Amino acid sequence: MDRLPLFLDLHKRRIAVVGGGSLAARRIEALARAGAEVWLFATAWSDEFEALRGQYHLGDLGEHNAFFGFPLVYFAFQDGEEPEQPSNLALIARARTAGALVNVADHPGMSDFITPSVLDRSPLVVAISTGGDAPLLGRMLKARLETLIPAGYGRLAALAGAGRAALGDKLANHQARLRFWERIFDGPIAEMVLAGDDAAAHALLDREIADCRPDGSAADDQPVGEVYLVGAGPGDPDLLTFRAFRLMQKADVVLYDRLVDPTIMDRVRRDAERIYVGKRRADHALPQEEIGDLMVKLALEGKRVLRLKGGDPFIFGRGGEEIEKLAEKRVPFQVCPGVTAAAGCSSYAGIPLTHRDYAQSCVFVTGHGRDGPIDLDWSTLLRPRQTVAVYMGLAHLDFLMKEFLRHGADSALPVAVVENGTRANQIVVTGNVGDIAAKAVAAGLRGPTIIIVGEVVALREKLNWYVPKS
């Protein structure tokens, strides 16, 4: 290890930045966030510094003792100002003579310290350095960590900080405290914080500290489970949210249906139990009522249950029905939204649901009820300059298009049917209200599909960007 990583407390410390360009401005921003008293030394500076007013003081390079009292000095020379120029080398020497440690941007060999790429989840901070050899690689690694460390981990660290003193009074043994925090960070309290319920997490942490045993274990050994109702999106695993992926890695058992693509199931924790609950139209492997009962049963056994649903669970996904039973039985649960089919499939088909020139509103409806096609509010659907997205309508496509016509729609109104949207086997069939049903039959569409009705469909030829792999 060529350099020792340190985290410095810069609160109210005087730190100098030399330079008037973009890099100097970024240095000031970062130092001000860390609480430093920043002094800018420059003969001229760019317009970017207008937005930084109040975050720095102006210093005078003409003063003989300009750098005295500054433990760190950052040199951020502008393009064309090489650090090796005699005047700049003299400035760097003056800073070192004053007792400061020096950083020269993009010149690690001239620097006493380097500034790493920082992932800020304060008070949790992750720093990545390549020793100045490959700063771009450091930034790329930071970007990957951004996807793995949710923003809520900072609040989780703050929660632990708030409870440290009380736990130290309760548990003198270091191993007991480690056992306690391992249990907290991998349990319901951490999930409360990550879900945004900090108040409940603090209250439960106080109880856990008060009631824990001398070895750090819980006073009540009764397991406490939880249900994660997660939207898996329309199919492309890259559309999973960070939070969805994290919950997929925590689950002990997964309840999934046919709308969840196998590539998404590959991202579930490897050793999790998997239970297929079907949900094909008119052919449910497990009736809706029994799915709710099963989630309650598994959670009461202390298991972390992932209910993985295609699209978004609260948009024609019956997610509300499923968590009603959890609420009745007082089973802890949380809901993670997903990209709904209308948004995902339209985007991958090159069809914007709204457009200033074509559609100023968009309506989501379902084309399938308990006993077949449903009676829609046609006066609402047939408004001008509006897009209609129909979920679960393929089986009744011919009926729906005839109803559009019967209620006054133009037979030339554009329509698209997107099958397996966002997936490698996506198929898009376009037409109009008068002919789309026949075209869908000719194409052999089987579902799952989303039907998009409106003038925006005409933009597909121009805006189509996605090329399926099969």
Side-chain angles (χ1 to χ4, degrees):
M1 183 170 65
D2 294 332
R3 296 178 185 264
L4 178 68
L6 299 171
F7 288 90
L8 298 176
D9 181 0
L10 297 182
H11 187 64
K12 294 186 178 180
R13 296 281 186 95
R14 300 174 76 227
I15 308 298
V17 175
V18 180
S22 295
L23 188 53
R26 301 292 78 76
R27 289 282 190 260
I28 290 174
E29 279 185 315
L31 290 165
R33 282 200 304 270
E37 179 186 316
V38 187
W39 286 74
L40 172 65
F41 291 84
T43 55
W45 46 88
S46 67
D47 293 340
E48 291 182 71
F49 288 80
E50 281 294 316
L52 299 175
R53 280 190 174 186
Q55 297 187 39
Y56 63 89
H57 307 274
L58 284 176
D60 184 0
L61 286 174
E63 292 184 8
H64 175 70
N65 296 330
F67 296 126
F68 278 92
F70 291 92
L72 304 178
V73 178
Y74 287 86
F75 287 91
F77 297 113
Q78 299 189 59
D79 291 341
E81 286 188 290
E82 292 299 325
E84 292 87 353
Q85 293 175 3
S87 59
N88 291 332
L89 288 174
L91 279 177
I92 295 171
R94 283 175 60 189
R96 287 200 169 104
T97 300
L101 294 175
V102 165
N103 172 271
V104 182
D106 296 326
H107 288 75
M110 300 177 68
S111 301
D112 301 314
F113 68 96
I114 56 178
T115 301
S117 295
V118 174
L119 175 64
D120 188 359
R121 299 285 190 266
S122 295
L124 174 66
V125 177
V126 179
I128 304 164
S129 171
T130 59
D133 291 336
L136 178 60
L137 178 59
R139 290 198 293 271
M140 291 173 63
L141 290 174
K142 174 195 168 183
R144 293 190 180 185
L145 288 175
E146 290 274 6
T147 69
L148 299 176
I149 303 177
Y153 270 67
R155 301 199 314 277
L156 184 57
L159 175 79
R164 279 190 70 183
L167 185 68
D169 293 339
K170 182 72 182 288
L171 300 177
N173 183 274
H174 175 69
Q175 290 300 322
R177 292 196 299 271
L178 283 180
R179 180 175 181 179
F180 176 88
W181 287 120
E182 286 172 354
R183 179 165 57 83
I184 296 302
F185 291 150
D186 196 35
I189 291 177
E191 284 304 324
M192 288 177 184
V193 174
L194 297 177
D197 194 353
D198 291 10
H202 276 275
L204 185 53
L205 178 63
D206 290 342
R207 290 201 298 272
E208 287 285 346
I209 292 174
D211 297 340
C212 71
R213 294 170 175 168
D215 64 352
S217 63
D220 182 3
D221 284 335
Q222 192 67 26
V224 178
E226 187 175 13
V227 175
Y228 314 137
L229 181 62
V230 173
D236 185 347
D238 285 350
L239 296 180
L240 286 168
T241 65
F242 298 157
R243 185 167 163 228
F245 184 78
R246 179 177 59 81
L247 294 175
M248 290 164 67
Q249 293 298 306
K250 287 178 66 69
D252 301 311
V253 57
V254 183
L255 277 60
Y256 70 102
D257 53 55
R258 77 177 186 96
L259 293 179
V260 178
D261 193 89
T263 59
I264 290 176
M265 290 300 298
D266 288 342
R267 285 153 174 79
V268 172
R269 201 177 92 190
R270 293 291 181 187
D271 58 342
E273 179 185 358
R274 302 175 186 215
I275 301 175
Y276 176 69
V277 294
K279 307 300 288 182
R280 186 183 298 274
R281 181 174 57 86
D283 180 21
H284 294 188
L286 201 64
Q288 187 69 38
E289 184 71 17
E290 293 184 25
I291 293 175
D293 292 337
L294 179 59
M295 288 193 297
V296 170
K297 174 179 176 293
L298 293 169
L300 292 179
E301 291 174 356
K303 294 179 180 177
R304 292 170 292 196
V305 182
L306 174 68
R307 176 64 174 109
L308 199 56
K309 301 179 74 71
D312 181 277
F314 278 7
I315 299 181
F316 304 122
R318 303 186 72 176
E321 298 174 40
E322 295 186 1
I323 63 172
E324 273 187 305
K325 176 156 287 190
L326 300 173
E328 291 169 3
K329 301 295 184 181
R330 298 185 180 278
V331 172
F333 65 87
Q334 56 178 287
V335 181
C336 177
V339 175
T340 190
C345 298
S346 64
S347 295
Y348 277 56
I351 302 171
L353 292 176
T354 62
H355 188 285
R356 186 169 59 179
D357 297 330
Y358 297 93
Q360 282 73 56
S361 63
C362 180
V363 178
F364 294 176
V365 298
T366 177
H368 182 75
R370 289 181 182 272
D371 303 310
I374 64 174
D375 186 16
L376 299 170
D377 183 354
W378 294 101
S379 63
T380 298
L381 298 187
L382 290 173
R383 291 176 177 170
R385 303 171 75 83
Q386 176 173 268
T387 305
V388 179
V390 185
Y391 290 67
M392 297 172 285
L394 181 64
H396 308 297
L397 181 59
D398 184 58
F399 169 82
L400 289 169
M401 294 302 104
K402 287 178 179 176
E403 287 295 290
F404 266 96
L405 291 171
R406 188 168 73 85
H407 288 86
D410 186 342
S411 63
L413 182 64
V415 182
V417 182
V418 185
E419 179 183 71
N420 293 316
T422 79
R423 307 183 191 202
N425 58 342
Q426 171 179 294
I427 297 174
V428 182
V429 177
T430 58
N432 54 52
V433 171
D435 65 12
I436 191 65
K439 286 186 173 182
V441 171
L445 301 185
R446 302 177 60 187
T449 62
I450 195 83
I451 302 165
I452 304 170
V453 183
E455 297 294 342
V456 291
V457 174
L459 293 167
R460 168 174 161 75
E461 185 174 346
K462 181 180 181 181
L463 303 181
N464 183 33
W465 61 272
Y466 177 62
V467 180
K469 296 180 177 63
S470 61

